[in-house]
Amino acid sequence: MAALPTQFGEALSAVEPDEDAAHAQVAHAQVSKVLEGDERLRGLGVDPLLIGSYKRHVSIKRVKDVDVFARLTKADGSLRPGAILDHVADILGVAFPGDVERQHRSVKVDFPDYDLSVDVVIARPCGDHWEIPQRIEEDGRARWVETNPTKMTELTTAANKSFLLYDDDDDSGVYVRIVKLVRQVRRTWVNDQPGGYYFEVLTYHAFQELQPDEKTVAAYLTRILRRIAEMLPDHVDEGPVDPTLPDKTIKTKATAEQIQAAADQMTKAADLAEAALGEEDRCVAAVKWRQLLGRTQNTEVPEDVFPLPDYCNADGTTKNRSVIKGALAVPAGQDRYA
Amino acid sequence: MSGADGWDADLLREGLVARDFTDDGVRLRGPVPWRGAGGAEARARVEIEVDERFPFYPPQVRLLDPGAQLEVTFHVDRAARPGVSGNLCLWDDAWPADIAPWTDPDELLSRIAGWLEQTAAGWPGDNVCDLERYLEADPTMFVLYDAENLARLKGHAVRTRRGSTSGTVEVWNTPHRLKKRAGRPGFSRADRQLAWVEDLGQLHRPVRSWADIHDVLGEQAASAEQLIAAGVVNLVLLRYQRGDQQSVLALTVKYAADEIKVRACESADTSSSTRQMRAGTMAPQLADVPIAIVGCGAIGSFTAALLFRAGARRLTLIDHERLRPGNVVRHLAGLEQVGAWKTDAVRNCLTAIDPAIDAVRALTTAMTSADYAKLLVQHHRIVVDATGSARATSMLAFAANTTNAEADKAVVTVCAQRDGDVVRVDRLPARGVEIFLPPLPALDDQNELRENGCGSPISRTPPTAVVAAAELACCVVLDELAGHRKLPTSVAFVSRPQPEQQYTHIGLVLPGSMPQDQVVK
C-alpha cells in the first residue's frame, strides 16, 4: 500500500488557488460595492453573494471566473430581467470601463490584472429558493428557472463535516480535498467536457452512496474515482441528479460521445489509482500518482502536482540510498561529551 | 541506517497505517493497545506527528484518549494550547539516533503502551526532577540558590539580590524577619522582592498551578499566599523529592484578580557539591593533595587551572614575573590582569571558577637554590615544573632524585619544543628500570623573536600547543595521584614529524625499545 500521505498533502497545496483566492476576494468586493451603491438596485434589495466552486472551497488552481449571485430580495413577479441586466451592465460599465460584457443572462466583468472575471447573475426570490432568468427575449421578458446555488455550499460543508479522516476531529474533513483532486484528475484526463461542476456532483453522489471510511486521502480518491468511472456511462443521456433540487438533473454542454469518452478516461484513471495504491514500491507508486494528477493548468509554468519523495528518481527507481545525506551512525560511537 | 530523505518517515507512516492509523500527511491518529490498572486491556488513541527532525528525533506523540481511567502525571511536555495534550516524553536525549527505535512502528507503539502503563502505575522508581516542564516558563529570570543552606529553611521568607549577570537573581541563605510599618498597614521598604522557601516533600504528581501547590502544602500555604498578595514575595522556591532525588523548583509569582499566577524559571544550585559534580571522578581525592606549580607562565597557568577544575585545592603557585601584555595570548589570564604577578593573576582566575581558594598560595619567588627545590618536593606530593628553565628544572630534578623514594614524591616537568610541534612531560625520579625518551637537540634559530625589555628570546609555541602540554602534564599528575602509574616516565606528543628517530611520526611517543646508546638514565 503506497498511499504517500505526505506527498498527497503537498499535491493538495499545489492545486490550492492561493493567489487567485486573494484576487477573487478583491474582485468580488469591488463588484459588490458597485451593486450595493446603486440606488435602483438598493430599492430592489440587492444582496450580492459569492457562489460557485470558489465559495465552496473546492476550486483549484487556476480560478478563472468567480460567480456573484445578485439577489434582489425585494423584486417581485413584475421584474423584467432584460431591463435590470441592462442596468447592471451600465453601472458596472461605468465602474469598470471597457471590461464589462453583457451576456445571455449575466454580466461579466473582466479583471485583466488578475486574469480572472466576475460573473454577475441576478436572482429574484421564489419561496425558499431563488429564480434566475433562463432565457431573455428581445423584449426583456424571460422565463425564470428555479435554482438554489447556496444549497450546494451547504451540502459541501455538511459533507465535509460528515466524512472525516479522524472521527474525533471536525476539522479533518476529507470531502473537499477529494473534490479538488477529482477536479484535477478531470482536467488531466477529460477533454474539456463535462466540466468541473459535473464531476463535483458525481463525487458528491459517490460519497453518499459509498459512505467511505478510509485511512488515507489516496485510498479515498481511489474508491471515489472508481465509482465515478462506473457512474458516468449511466449519464450518457441524462445528467446526474442535482443534489440541490432532487427533482432535477445536472445540465451539461457535453455530448453523449463526450460523456462516453470521459467514462473511458476515468476508467483508466481509476485503474491507475488502484495500481498506485496497491504498489509495494513507493517510488513506482509515486510516479503513477504523478501521472494521475498531471500538471497544474492555466498557470504560467505548468508544474507536476504530485511531488516525488526525495528518495525517488523521476523514472520511478529508488535513488542509491548509500549516498543519501545524513547517515545516522556517529563515528566515535556513544558516550561522548563535548 | 538512512537519513533525512523521508524514507524512514514514509516507512513509519506506512507501518502505522497498516496498524489501523489514519494519516492526513501531517499527523497520524490511531489506536494503541495497553494494559491498564489490574492488567485490564485498554485501547488508547494517540496522535503521532513525524516532523522534519525525524529520524534523528523521535516523532511527537500526543494522547487523545487513554481509553481507560488514567491520570496523566509525569513525562509529558506542557501542552501547546489548552485542551490539547502535550507531547509524551518517550525517549530522553541520551538515546542514540543511530539506534532510533522510534523508526519501527511496533517499537514506537510498544513504547507508548509502556508509557501508559507506567503512568497508570504512578511511575514506580522514577526519580526525574523536571517540574519546570509542566509550567509556563518565565525566561527572564535565572535563580541561583545554595541547596545545602536552603535545606535548613522551610516556611521562611528570604531576601534576594540581583546577580552579576542580566536577569540573574541570587537567593540569600538566612531567614528574613518581616517588619510591619509602625502605625501603618503593609510592610517596610526592606520587605520587597522576597523569596519564599517551602518543602513539598515526595511528589506523586507534578504541580501545574498554584492550586496544585496549595493542595500539597495545605494550611502551610496561607503565609506565602498572604505575602504574595501583599506584593512582598515575588519568588517561591519549592524543595521537592522524586524517588531518591531532591531538587528545587523556582517560580515567579504574581497576584492578580484573586489568583496567584505561577511561572517556572530556570534555577541552579550554587553549592560546592553541585559545582564539583562535573569535576571528574578524582575530584574528592584531589582536594587534599598538596601540589606545587613552579612557573605560572602559559603552560603553568593552564596546568594550574586544569588541576583546580579537576578538584585540586591545595595548590602552591610559584613565579617571580609579572604578566605582560604579550603574555596574554597564550596565558590563562586576560588583559585586565596585566601588571599583576603571574601567580596572583592565576589565583584570580581560579577564584572565578570557585571562590573557595583559601588553600591556594601565590608565592612571588624564584627557584634560586637546590635547597628550596628540595623543600618544595618535601612539602608537596607533586611538584609540576612548568618553568621551561634549564636551571630550575635541574634543581627540581636533583631534589626529586635525592628525595627518599619511600616518600612517594614526584616532580613532573612539562614543556613545548620545536615551536610547539612537540610537547613533552617527564616524571622524576625514574623508578626501577624506567628510561626517558631521548632529548630533542635545540635547533639553530636564525629568526629569534625578542620583546623590548625582555631578556630571553620568545618561543613561537602557539596557544594550542600550550594547552596540549598542560593537558599532558595533568594526565601524568592524575595517573600518579590515582596510583595507576600506567604512564611511563616520559610522554611526548608530536604534532609535526621531526627528523630525529622516535619523533618522526605524528602521535603519542613513549619510551620503547630504544638502542642502548640512546637510553637516558
Side-chain angles (χ1 to χ4, degrees):
Chain A
M1 287 287 279
L4 295 168
T6 309
Q7 285 69 32
F8 262 99
E10 290 173 35
L12 280 159
S13 298
V15 296
E16 193 61 39
D18 298 327
E19 194 182 34
D20 291 338
H23 292 162
Q25 275 185 344
V26 173
H28 164 245
Q30 288 181 4
V31 168
S32 295
K33 194 176 169 188
V34 173
L35 299 176
E36 289 165 338
D38 179 71
E39 200 174 332
R40 183 175 170 190
L41 292 178
R42 272 211 306 272
L44 289 167
V46 68
D47 183 12
L49 176 75
L50 205 56
I51 57 170
S53 62
Y54 166 70
K55 169 68 178 179
R56 295 192 300 278
H57 305 292
V58 294
S59 58
I60 56 172
K61 203 182 274 179
R62 289 227 25 243
V63 175
K64 299 287 280 185
D65 46 28
V66 180
D67 297 317
V68 171
F69 201 49
R71 296 175 296 184
L72 304 173
T73 56
K74 295 176 185 170
D76 56 22
S78 67
L79 182 72
R80 292 171 60 189
I84 199 69
L85 263 186
D86 286 341
H87 177 70
V88 168
D90 289 343
I91 59 168
L92 289 172
V94 172
F96 307 98
D99 292 325
V100 175
E101 188 186 335
R102 159 77 196 268
Q103 299 201 303
H104 191 51
R105 59 182 183 186
S106 64
V107 178
K108 183 175 163 189
V109 184
D110 278 328
F111 286 82
D113 290 350
Y114 299 158
D115 190 25
L116 62 76
S117 60
V118 173
D119 243 0
V120 182
V121 182
I122 57 161
R124 69 179 191 185
C126 166
D128 291 341
H129 293 171
W130 295 88
E131 286 181 328
I132 57 173
Q134 189 175 34
R135 180 170 174 78
I136 299 171
E137 307 293 350
E138 290 294 318
D139 61 358
R141 291 181 184 282
R143 282 195 309 123
W144 290 83
V145 62
E146 198 181 346
T147 184
N148 194 354
T150 57
K151 181 71 177 172
M152 197 60 189
T153 306
E154 290 162 21
L155 291 175
T156 301
T157 304
N160 211 44
K161 288 267 182 252
S162 168
F163 297 101
L164 300 170
L165 262 172
Y166 309 119
D167 296 340
D168 50 3
D169 184 354
D170 286 347
D171 295 329
S172 67
V174 73
Y175 172 75
V176 161
R177 298 183 225 202
I178 298 303
V179 172
K180 287 181 180 188
L181 292 172
V182 167
R183 280 174 170 261
Q184 179 62 29
V185 171
R186 184 205 73 82
R187 281 191 188 179
T188 306
W189 291 75
V190 175
N191 193 6
D192 191 31
Q193 288 295 335
Y197 183 67
Y198 190 96
F199 275 83
E200 184 181 341
V201 169
L202 291 176
T203 304
Y204 182 83
H205 288 308
F207 264 92
Q208 299 306 320
E209 282 175 33
L210 298 173
Q211 293 290 311
D213 181 16
E214 302 292 341
K215 304 283 177 209
T216 59
V217 168
Y220 273 104
L221 179 64
T222 304
R223 279 197 75 187
I224 296 298
L225 285 178
R226 174 58 65 200
R227 186 66 199 121
I228 289 172
E230 289 166 351
M231 284 196 270
L232 269 166
D234 298 339
H235 298 300
V236 170
D237 298 323
E238 190 166 21
V241 171
D242 184 343
T244 69
L245 300 162
D247 57 339
K248 299 202 165 46
T249 56
I250 297 293
K251 300 283 175 283
T252 173
K253 294 176 192 167
T255 62
E257 290 75 18
Q258 283 176 313
I259 302 275
Q260 189 54 59
D264 295 344
Q265 284 295 93
M266 291 308 281
T267 300
K268 288 180 190 169
D271 291 346
L272 185 62
E274 282 168 4
L277 190 64
E279 179 59 59
E280 290 292 315
D281 186 315
R282 290 200 295 274
C283 290
V284 173
V287 171
K288 288 187 163 77
W289 289 124
R290 171 171 277 196
Q291 197 185 339
L292 177 77
L293 291 171
R295 300 185 135 205
T296 53
Q297 298 196 3
N298 304 320
T299 52
E300 278 182 34
V301 182
E303 289 170 350
D304 284 309
V305 167
F306 195 86
L308 298 181
D310 286 350
Y311 49 82
C312 296
N313 293 311
D315 64 356
T317 55
T318 304
K319 286 177 183 171
N320 179 357
R321 306 209 56 255
S322 62
V323 298
I324 285 172
K325 61 179 181 182
L328 286 174
V330 176
Q334 305 311 323
D335 194 24
R336 298 174 312 121
Y337 166 78
Chain B
M1 209 30 143
S2 63
D5 60 347
W7 176 274
D8 297 289
D10 286 349
L11 203 60
L12 176 67
R13 303 186 93 99
E14 222 169 66
L16 288 169
V17 168
R19 286 157 183 78
D20 212 17
F21 272 70
T22 300
D23 187 350
D24 72 351
V26 177
R27 61 218 167 122
L28 300 101
R29 287 184 174 188
V32 178
W34 63 287
R35 292 201 173 275
E41 284 187 11
R43 210 170 145 86
R45 189 165 160 78
V46 300
E47 179 175 275
I48 297 174
E49 199 171 326
V50 188
D51 66 16
E52 69 281 357
R53 298 176 303 169
F54 189 85
F56 300 98
Y57 280 73
Q60 294 173 36
V61 179
R62 291 176 282 274
L63 186 63
L64 299 171
D65 176 8
Q69 191 65 33
L70 185 79
E71 186 196 357
V72 173
T73 53
F74 296 104
H75 299 283
V76 58
D77 283 335
R78 200 168 161 272
R81 58 186 187 279
V84 178
S85 146
N87 295 324
L88 313 191
C89 304
L90 298 170
W91 284 277
D92 65 27
D93 287 349
W95 278 84
D98 53 341
I99 292 171
W102 47 81
T103 58
D104 180 286
D106 287 327
E107 290 256 23
L108 175 61
L109 299 183
S110 153
R111 190 81 178 177
I112 298 167
W115 185 95
L116 289 159
E117 282 153 21
Q118 286 289 305
T119 300
W123 291 98
D126 187 49
N127 62 0
V128 177
C129 293
D130 59 353
L131 284 196
E132 294 82 1
R133 160 179 282 168
Y134 308 97
L135 292 151
E136 187 186 340
D138 180 352
T140 62
M141 203 183 279
F142 183 54
V143 179
L144 297 173
Y145 60 88
D146 185 320
E148 287 166 13
N149 289 315
L150 213 65
R152 295 194 288 271
L153 302 173
K154 182 180 171 182
H156 286 105
V158 292
R159 293 182 74 176
T160 63
R161 63 177 164 230
R162 282 187 187 177
S164 54
T165 53
S166 172
T168 304
V169 172
E170 293 173 1
V171 177
W172 290 26
N173 300 320
T174 49
H176 176 73
R177 193 176 296 231
L178 293 153
K179 294 190 183 81
K180 286 278 188 185
R181 287 193 297 189
R184 284 189 295 168
F187 295 90
S188 75
R189 267 181 172 282
D191 298 334
R192 300 276 165 85
Q193 308 285 309
L194 298 180
W196 186 264
V197 184
E198 260 302 352
D199 192 332
L200 297 178
Q202 187 73 245
L203 282 181
H204 302 290
R205 59 180 55 81
V207 291
R208 293 184 166 94
S209 63
W210 183 263
D212 289 349
I213 295 165
H214 182 100
D215 287 348
V216 177
L217 292 175
E219 288 176 15
Q220 283 172 256
S223 307
E225 286 164 357
Q226 186 190 356
L227 293 173
I228 293 166
V232 171
V233 163
N234 69 337
L235 188 66
V236 172
L237 293 171
L238 299 168
R239 266 197 318 280
Y240 68 97
Q241 209 164 335
R242 293 268 296 120
D244 57 355
Q245 292 291 311
Q246 282 211 330
S247 191
V248 169
L249 173 67
L251 303 171
T252 50
V253 289
K254 202 168 187 175
Y255 184 77
D258 291 341
E259 193 186 3
I260 296 173
K261 297 265 188 212
V262 298
R263 294 201 295 165
C265 27
E266 194 176 346
S267 62
D269 176 15
T270 61
S271 66
S272 178
S273 58
T274 293
R275 282 185 289 104
Q276 284 293 293
M277 282 169 78
R278 296 165 177 84
T281 53
M282 280 188 66
Q285 68 192 93
L286 287 179
D288 253 355
V289 179
I291 301 171
I293 295 167
V294 186
C296 289
I299 294 175
S301 68
F302 277 98
T303 306
L306 287 173
L307 289 173
F308 188 76
R309 287 171 187 273
R313 286 294 177 273
R314 289 180 60 190
L315 296 179
T316 307
L317 309 174
I318 299 164
D319 198 300
H320 64 286
E321 290 182 343
R322 289 184 189 275
L323 187 72
R324 304 170 66 85
N327 293 141
V328 167
V329 75
R330 287 190 297 214
H331 200 275
L332 178 71
L335 284 172
E336 74 283 358
Q337 309 251 35
V338 164
W341 298 109
K342 285 180 177 175
T343 49
D344 289 338
V346 171
R347 194 171 187 273
N348 291 339
C349 290
L350 300 186
T351 313
I353 299 165
D354 185 351
I357 57 159
D358 298 348
V360 177
R361 294 188 302 154
L363 306 180
T364 314
T365 55
M367 279 285 302
T368 49
S369 70
D371 286 345
Y372 185 47
K374 284 183 99 166
L375 275 174
L376 282 178
V377 171
Q378 281 166 16
H379 287 98
H380 297 87
R381 171 67 182 83
I382 303 263
V383 177
V384 177
D385 164 35
T387 59
S389 152
R391 292 168 193 164
T393 303
S394 290
M395 283 189 267
L396 286 166
F398 168 76
N401 289 330
T402 54
T403 300
N404 184 353
E406 304 298 308
D408 204 21
K409 308 287 188 180
V411 170
V412 173
T413 179
V414 53
C415 64
Q417 298 180 287
R418 300 280 169 89
D419 292 341
D421 292 343
V422 178
V423 295
R424 173 173 176 152
V425 178
D426 296 289
R427 177 193 27 85
L428 304 158
R431 299 186 185 104
V433 295
E434 282 182 331
I435 53 173
F436 294 99
L437 280 169
L440 273 175
L443 299 179
D444 275 348
D445 192 349
Q446 304 300 316
N447 304 303
E448 270 187 351
L449 294 176
R450 286 188 177 273
E451 185 183 348
N452 287 341
C454 188
S456 49
I458 293 166
S459 161
R460 275 192 287 255
T461 298
T464 49
V466 165
V467 175
E471 189 268 342
L472 201 58
C474 289
C475 283
V476 173
V477 169
L478 297 180
D479 177 66
E480 180 73 12
L481 293 179
H484 300 150
R485 295 191 172 165
K486 298 281 185 199
L487 291 172
T489 189
S490 292
V491 187
F493 185 81
V494 177
S495 55
R496 191 187 302 211
Q498 303 298 308
E500 291 81 0
Q501 199 185 1
Q502 294 257 324
Y503 300 93
T504 55
H505 290 90
I506 290 173
L508 203 61
V509 182
L510 305 173
S513 51
M514 287 184 288
Q516 279 303 303
D517 61 342
Q518 289 191 26
V519 172
V520 182
K521 292 189 177 171

